[in-house]
Amino acid sequence: MKEPVRPFLTIAEAGRLIAAKKLSPVELTRALLKRIEVVDPKISAFLLVTNQRAMTAARAAEKAVMAGQKGRLLGIPLAYKDIFETAGVRTTAHSRILLDNVPKQDAETVRRLHAAGAVMLGKLATHEFAIGGPATDLPWPPARNPWDTRRFTGGSSSGSGAAVAAGLALGALGSDTGGSIRLPAAYCGIAGFKPTPGLVSRRGVIPLAPSLDTAGPMAWTAQDCAILLDVLAGHDPADPASVAVPLPGYAKAIEAPLKGMRVGVLRRFYEHDVPATPEMLKMMAQAAATLKALGCRVEEAVLPPVQDFNAVGRIIISAEAYALHEATLHARLSEYSRVFRIRVLAGGLIRAADYITAQRRRSELIAAAGTVFGKFDVLISAPTAGAAPLLAEQRPDEGFAQPFLTTVANVAALPSLVVCGGFTATGLPLGLEIMGPAWGDAAVLRVGHQFEVAAGLRGRRPEV
Amino acid sequence: MATPPATQTPSMTPAEMQILVSRTGLVLNPGQVADLVLAWRQIAGLIGAMPRGRPMGDDMALSFRLAPPAPPPAAPKRVAKPKPKAAAKPKAAAKRVPLRRAAPRR
């Protein structure tokens, strides 16, 4: 274990160095805990830092490495959005409601990561119960964007986006019901992957809207997401939505070149439905050109308007979230944040007929997306209209008034990845979204990885 | 795919809102009611925007289940050369099951 710890390592780099016994998991973990101590007060990504547990796990990983054990996550320090249950470690969902909640069992995703030798650094900020944020009337402040701390991280996996971008953790777990992995990935300039529903277990992940909830990895690169997915993916009978599918080996699958791949550009989404900024439009044109240069056949693709997906998503999320929280809302209404109340209480007024209409419309939208994938292998779009807005400009009714581009993949049950596609003139990251057909997770990650390598944007980090 | 037309959700009067809130069993202060009115207007707009009028028999299950991905195409099978028949082995003698000794009486 010879090399000094270099800041901003990726999971792939750190894994190689650890396997070669050139990097000590103990030294890596110690360096990150020190960095969290210095940087986190500026960005509030962590709700809880588990110093002792992290050092114990790192020592165990180091011992395993020295004994010849192999594994790409062995000794890799990660952190989890605070809706993933962790045995013996407080899991709050960033809410007063769960201030004293100490689960007895790890979420299946956490269990898999720990079994693979990953080191937990702590629990990360989220919007309250993955929907109520950013909020200033909670026990912890909202996370801030490391590229400009006056700006929003995106949510709800806000701490995950901020921690990975600031180099406080090599990877993180996030959850995504309407864009909660991919929005922070876009605004924080990292990679965030929402898998096909059923690929990654949600057991032990505090639900928001079970018919749309997914859990997935967030990291600096698509390659790191693939490495994490290799451990996270797999059938779990304890999650009723989990599906037993053959797993291709994602980290290996992404290495195949893109020549001949059919890429559909959902231009109308960001030119008309949710009009993007000129910088975002330019970035999308450049991204399409990069994919063409990689040998892809790039043509325009058309899906129903974003507003159709968003209406269905918002109605389902509001109704299901209200149903899950109803009893607690009756007993402890004032303990929730105002943002949570605004986004969830109206769900109690939705008629069953309207909820069922939303579910029926969802089936139509899934079918419409399926038709498009007859012509294309992947689709690309802008995940947001532009770069991260100011935190102070965030509205509590966000997502209702202005549709989220990312909700399309949740409603249509598609795997979707956001990678950094470029930067604004002021140095803020802009995201690129890549969607694939159901179970086309490997193809999506492959396009993201090859794009990142060709675009050469991963060397730039925030100065926080 | 032809999209059936959306229907308009009628706007809600304060009295109607009060009835709905009372049905939920929630006790809200005036500020919370004002927030709810704001949020409900947005939701009502989304509900009104959803197309309806689909045939009743269409999608009766109201749910979907993704089929697992198709298995990769099977590689063409090699035609195995017939192995020369080995000389028939003599049948193994039937295994002898040792008789259990009766436990000594105590």
Side-chain angles (χ1 to χ4, degrees):
Chain A
M1 306 279 176
K2 291 161 194 168
E3 287 195 6
V5 179
R6 188 159 55 85
F8 296 126
L9 284 168
T10 65
I11 292 173
E13 289 165 346
R16 272 194 299 272
L17 290 170
I18 289 171
K21 297 179 183 165
K22 288 181 177 172
L23 178 65
S24 148
V26 172
E27 290 311 311
L28 176 60
T29 302
R30 190 172 287 141
L32 286 171
L33 290 171
K34 183 73 199 159
R35 185 167 169 78
I36 291 167
E37 207 180 303
V38 175
V39 173
D40 195 56
K42 297 178 203 168
I43 59 168
S44 306
F46 278 82
L47 300 187
L48 181 71
V49 182
T50 49
N51 283 282
Q52 283 189 356
R53 278 175 186 263
M55 289 311 296
T56 306
R59 281 188 204 102
E62 184 148 320
K63 206 173 160 188
V65 172
M66 298 316 281
Q69 200 176 313
K70 304 269 182 215
R72 295 191 83 172
L73 292 186
L74 193 53
I76 299 294
L78 306 172
Y80 314 135
K81 180 179 185 176
D82 203 23
I83 64 167
F84 287 78
E85 292 192 330
T86 39
V89 177
R90 193 183 63 184
T91 302
T92 66
H94 207 129
S95 178
R96 249 181 224 101
I97 303 296
L98 296 182
L99 262 183
D100 303 319
N101 176 43
V102 180
K104 290 194 175 106
Q105 234 186 330
D106 282 331
E108 173 63 11
T109 39
V110 170
R111 187 197 68 74
R112 283 170 173 265
L113 292 173
H114 291 177
V119 173
M120 176 174 75
L121 294 169
K123 305 299 290 289
L124 297 167
T126 162
H127 291 355
E128 186 177 27
F129 286 106
I131 189 169
T136 50
D137 52 353
L138 289 171
W140 307 269
R144 289 176 174 275
N145 195 314
W147 295 90
D148 176 351
T149 55
R150 295 169 306 152
R151 291 183 185 273
F152 185 35
T153 52
S156 64
S157 307
S158 50
S160 306
V164 171
L168 307 188
L170 272 56
L173 283 175
S175 67
D176 195 316
T177 307
S180 290
I181 284 176
R182 293 160 293 145
L183 291 168
Y187 285 159
C188 295
I190 67 166
F193 183 62
K194 182 203 93 66
T196 302
L199 186 67
V200 172
S201 170
R202 303 164 308 165
R203 187 191 60 72
V205 184
I206 294 168
L208 169 60
S211 62
L212 292 169
D213 287 342
T214 48
M218 298 169 76
W220 187 244
T221 63
Q223 184 186 33
D224 283 358
C225 285
I227 292 169
L228 289 166
L229 191 64
D230 273 333
V231 169
L232 295 170
H235 183 231
D236 176 13
D239 176 353
S242 180
V243 182
V245 290
L247 303 172
Y250 298 98
K252 199 173 173 196
I254 62 170
E255 299 297 343
L258 299 185
K259 196 169 164 42
M261 187 166 262
R262 301 167 302 167
V263 177
V265 184
L266 294 164
R267 191 168 287 129
R268 207 197 56 211
F269 273 15
Y270 54 89
E271 285 184 356
H272 177 268
D273 296 354
V274 183
T277 61
E279 282 179 314
M280 180 60 97
L281 293 175
K282 195 175 154 196
M283 186 282 288
M284 285 304 300
Q286 281 170 349
T290 302
L291 292 171
K292 226 176 216 172
L294 286 168
C296 298
R297 230 177 55 205
V298 182
E299 285 170 29
E300 184 166 355
V302 179
L303 278 176
V306 173
Q307 281 75 3
D308 283 18
F309 291 92
N310 196 67
V312 166
R314 289 290 125 192
I315 291 163
I316 292 173
I317 290 169
S318 299
E320 293 188 9
Y322 180 84
L324 287 168
H325 286 272
E326 186 175 43
T328 321
L329 283 165
H330 280 192
R332 303 170 67 179
L333 181 68
S334 62
E335 292 177 61
Y336 286 95
S337 68
R338 177 171 175 247
V339 179
F340 181 93
R341 290 195 300 262
I342 287 177
R343 293 188 187 167
V344 173
L345 278 187
L349 309 184
I350 293 172
R351 300 179 315 144
D354 294 327
Y355 174 78
I356 290 167
T357 299
Q359 290 287 11
R360 295 182 83 191
R361 179 68 183 141
R362 185 184 184 196
S363 300
E364 280 180 338
L365 294 170
I366 289 171
T371 308
V372 171
F373 282 111
K375 296 180 206 153
F376 297 100
D377 300 307
V378 295
L379 301 173
I380 62 167
S381 174
T384 60
L390 290 168
L391 201 49
E393 286 174 355
Q394 283 308 291
R395 290 170 46 167
D397 61 345
E398 197 72 35
F400 292 121
Q402 179 75 351
F404 287 150
L405 285 150
T406 46
T407 303
V408 171
N410 300 87
V411 170
L414 308 175
S416 172
L417 171 75
V418 163
V419 293
C420 182
F423 289 90
T424 64
T426 54
L428 293 172
L430 295 167
L432 166 69
E433 183 173 14
I434 304 152
M435 288 173 266
W439 311 116
D441 302 71
V444 170
L445 287 162
R446 183 174 142 215
V447 173
H449 171 61
Q450 301 289 345
F451 171 83
E452 280 180 343
V453 172
L457 299 166
R458 294 293 67 199
R460 192 166 169 179
R461 287 278 194 166
E463 290 169 17
V464 63
Chain B
M1 184 187 300
T3 307
T7 56
Q8 287 298 312
T9 299
S11 59
M12 194 174 284
T13 66
E16 286 169 332
M17 171 60 83
Q18 203 52 56
I19 291 169
L20 276 185
V21 171
S22 66
R23 273 194 195 163
T24 66
L26 293 165
V27 181
L28 304 180
N29 65 35
Q32 288 164 345
V33 172
D35 280 348
L36 183 56
V37 169
L38 172 86
W40 176 249
R41 274 194 201 133
Q42 311 270 14
I43 292 264
L46 298 177
I47 289 171
M50 272 194 307
R52 287 158 202 263
R54 294 173 58 183
M56 201 177 280
D58 190 9
D59 186 27
M60 290 171 75
L62 302 171
S63 63
F64 72 97
R65 182 174 288 278
L66 295 169
K77 277 184 184 174
R78 280 187 186 173
V79 182
K81 281 183 184 174
K83 280 184 182 175
K85 273 190 181 175
K89 281 183 184 174
K91 274 188 183 174
K95 249 188 183 176
R96 274 191 185 171
V97 181
L99 288 174
R100 261 196 179 173
R101 278 190 192 166
R105 280 185 190 174
R106 290 188 182 173

